[in-house]
Amino acid sequence: MTYNNKIAIFEGAEKLKYIEETIEEIKSNQVLVKIDATAICTMEQRVYLGKMKPKMPFAGGHEVAGHVIQCGGKVSSVSNGDVVALRLLTNCGHCHYCRTGNDNQCKTAFIAKFHQTVGGPGGLAKYIIVEEKNVYKVNKDVDVNYLSLTEPLACCIHSINRCDINFGDDVVIIGAGIMGVFHTMLAKLKGARVIVTEVDEERLKVAKDNGADIVINSSKVDAVQYIKDLTDGRGADVVVNTVAISKVAEDAIKMAGKLGREVFYSSFHPDNPIDFSPNSIHYSEAIVTGSVNPSNKDFLQATRLLSSNIINPESLISGHVSLDNLENGIAEALRPDTYRIIVDCNK
């Protein structure tokens, strides 16, 4: 059977167009997926604005869910009609990092090509062909809009696993965007007291509604001192920074107490240096680390949390657009009061 595919591609700053490809056959290890929902991530926003400059033209969209409509002859883990999440930020499987169990650090993690004529993850399309290893089957009754958030949830799972959270720990999450709220949900599952700092009152409310024990408007109080006061002067056991502002990274270090774990989850734009005392790390035995990309295991765990409704991201979906209306969807996603805009790729 032949399928006529429509793919949205970026050609440069604020330059978006659509191309068409014909899908006639797939290889024996491949799966053809009809895309039901793709979430617009900050990566696509930055590419659209020209702040990120991958090789153009670029087919964006990597937070993807759909259902299987055709399987190659050697595919055994999924069948036609299965609801699936897709892992589209790929890894090679044979570099040093992949072979040491750190596939999230693969050198080719952001080099993907899933369509015939254009590079990029390519989830902003009607159909996509992927290898079986990139397809994660879930319960058929899962809301595909929720399932499209597998990738960002998996990123947060990777981050939370780096925090080494113990029961009763004081965990500070800086920022209450979608990643901050996912961190909040996951830290609660780990048995922590979760404290969220944010400058936007509406986002603080969303964080509170999704499990935050204490919320702090850091535009109104000194958040570092507030955390110290809450913890009898010790500082937090864990601090996760999800905000892309370098100065906030300084505050993250100051918020943590002795033996604290500080995770720089967000990338920083611009990437400005920060000031901190090396002795503060030396004497406190604090750990400052980063977190980037999910591993295959993190991705699987994310599908299970969503499939079992242990994590419910309903409050993090701010709207829907059609594939044909993608440019308006990106404009909505760029607004500071939105979380994820979902592209209904086949409606």
Side-chain angles (χ1 to χ4, degrees):
M1 185 173 180
T2 298
Y3 296 89
N4 295 317
N5 199 9
K6 185 174 186 178
I7 307 162
I9 63 169
F10 301 97
E11 293 190 301
E14 298 187 34
K15 293 181 179 179
L16 176 70
K17 78 171 189 178
Y18 299 90
I19 62 172
E20 294 188 356
E21 291 182 352
T22 300
I23 300 172
E24 295 183 344
E25 60 181 352
I26 61 174
K27 296 178 181 178
S28 61
N29 66 333
Q30 290 181 330
V31 179
L32 177 60
V33 175
K34 187 175 184 180
I35 299 174
D36 296 310
T38 298
I40 300 174
C41 176
T42 51
M43 185 180 85
E44 282 76 44
Q45 296 170 38
R46 289 169 184 162
V47 172
Y48 179 76
L49 293 175
K51 294 180 179 180
M52 285 183 68
K53 298 178 180 179
K55 183 179 179 181
M56 299 293 182
F58 179 78
H62 62 278
E63 300 179 2
V64 180
H67 64 276
V68 175
I69 57 174
Q70 188 177 335
C71 296
K74 293 183 179 180
V75 172
S76 60
S77 63
V78 293
S79 304
N80 289 359
D82 284 343
V83 178
V84 293
L86 302 181
R87 179 164 165 75
L88 299 183
L89 296 181
T90 59
N91 51 73
C92 69
H94 54 74
C95 72
H96 169 80
Y97 301 104
C98 286
R99 288 183 170 175
T100 55
N102 300 290
D103 51 275
N104 65 302
Q105 290 286 348
C106 177
K107 292 183 177 181
T108 65
F110 284 93
I111 302 173
K113 184 177 180 181
F114 290 96
H115 298 295
Q116 300 168 48
T117 58
V118 63
L124 293 167
K126 289 185 174 296
Y127 302 95
I128 192 166
I129 299 171
V130 295
E131 291 185 15
E132 181 181 11
K133 67 179 182 178
N134 296 324
V135 181
Y136 290 70
K137 178 181 174 180
V138 300
N139 298 335
K140 287 189 176 182
D141 59 353
V142 174
D143 188 321
V144 290
N145 298 299
Y146 296 177
L147 191 62
S148 69
L149 301 182
T150 297
E151 197 274 343
L153 178 59
C155 288
C156 296
I157 289 172
H158 187 78
S159 175
I160 286 290
N161 285 336
R162 296 184 69 76
C163 295
D164 189 24
I165 297 173
N166 298 302
F167 291 120
D169 274 355
D170 286 315
V171 175
V172 176
I173 309 298
I174 303 176
I178 183 171
M179 300 307 190
V181 177
F182 271 150
H183 274 89
T184 298
M185 295 176 179
L186 292 166
K188 286 303 296 179
L189 290 176
K190 290 282 189 178
R193 178 171 74 157
V194 181
I195 305 154
V196 176
T197 73
E198 166 65 60
V199 299
D200 184 281
E201 289 289 348
E202 287 301 314
R203 289 194 169 195
L204 285 172
K205 183 179 183 303
V206 173
K208 188 73 172 177
D209 291 343
N210 283 285
D213 297 288
I214 299 169
V215 295
I216 303 169
N217 188 323
S218 53
S219 69
K220 297 180 179 180
V221 300
D222 181 339
V224 175
Q225 187 58 50
Y226 201 104
I227 299 301
K228 296 287 187 183
D229 293 342
L230 276 175
T231 57
D232 298 324
R234 295 190 310 276
D237 301 294
V238 172
V239 181
V240 181
N241 177 37
T242 72
V243 176
I245 301 170
S246 294
K247 179 63 176 67
V248 178
E250 285 186 29
D251 291 341
I253 293 174
K254 294 174 184 176
M255 287 177 183
K258 290 184 177 182
L259 306 173
R261 287 83 70 197
E262 301 142 41
V263 178
F264 290 177
Y265 173 83
S266 176
S267 55
F268 295 91
H269 304 274
D271 182 18
N272 294 325
I274 64 173
D275 291 325
F276 67 93
S277 162
N279 269 342
S280 70
I281 306 299
H282 168 69
Y283 286 113
S284 69
E285 295 187 338
I287 296 172
V288 181
T289 188
S291 179
V292 63
N293 301 341
S295 68
N296 290 328
K297 180 180 178 181
D298 301 322
F299 202 91
L300 175 63
Q301 289 178 338
T303 64
R304 289 179 173 177
L305 289 173
L306 292 166
S307 191
S308 302
N309 202 35
I310 296 171
I311 292 290
N312 185 325
E314 181 178 5
S315 60
L316 303 179
I317 295 174
S318 301
H320 295 257
V321 296
S322 66
L323 183 61
D324 290 335
N325 202 26
L326 176 59
E327 203 148 13
N328 286 340
I330 294 174
E332 285 292 306
L334 287 166
R335 290 174 44 176
D337 59 341
T338 61
Y339 287 91
R340 279 294 191 265
I341 300 296
I342 305 296
V343 182
D344 301 321
C345 291
N346 271 283
K347 288 185 179 179

